[in-house]
Amino acid sequence: MESSETPPASPSKPPTQAHNPLHGLTLEAIVTALADFYGWDELGQRIPVRCFVLDPSVKSSLKFLRKTPWAREKVEGLYLFMLREQRRGDQSR
C-alpha cells in the first residue's frame, strides 16, 4: 500500500524586508538617532515616558523600552516619522 502522507515541505526562505526601514536596526540605534534629531526634551514631549523626561539616557531608555511593547511601538513610529521628515527636508534643498 502506498502512503497517503505528503512529503515534508522544503524549507522556504524567510520573507525579505527590503522595504522595512527598521530591518537590521537595533533599538539602541533608533533611540540614539531620535535623541540626536529631537533632543531629549522634545523626545520627552513627543513620547512622555519617564526614561525620556527624568534624567534621560540611552541605557535607561533601552531598559524600559525592552520591557514595554507599547512604548517601543511609539518610539519605532516616531523614528519612521523622523525618516519621512528627513526625506522631505532633503527634497526641499
Side-chain angles (χ1 to χ4, degrees):
M1 295 193 110
E2 291 183 32
S3 172
S4 63
E5 292 181 34
T6 57
S10 63
S12 62
K13 292 182 179 179
T16 60
Q17 297 198 13
H19 299 292
N20 182 354
L22 297 176
H23 182 69
L25 282 178
T26 63
L27 186 56
E28 181 176 7
I30 292 170
V31 170
T32 301
L34 288 171
D36 290 346
F37 187 78
Y38 292 111
W40 289 110
D41 287 338
E42 188 174 345
L43 190 54
Q45 290 175 5
R46 289 178 177 262
I47 305 173
V49 291
R50 176 175 259 168
C51 65
F52 294 158
V53 176
L54 299 173
D55 196 26
S57 70
V58 172
K59 184 178 178 180
S60 67
S61 300
L62 293 176
K63 185 175 181 180
F64 174 74
L65 294 170
R66 287 183 178 132
K67 295 178 181 178
T68 317
W70 64 264
R72 182 178 181 145
E73 287 178 22
K74 286 185 176 281
V75 166
E76 290 172 348
L78 182 59
Y79 180 78
L80 295 174
F81 178 78
M82 180 194 76
L83 292 179
R84 287 191 298 271
E85 290 296 303
Q86 286 178 329
R87 273 189 251 127
R88 284 185 190 144
D90 290 344
Q91 290 175 355
S92 66
R93 291 180 189 181

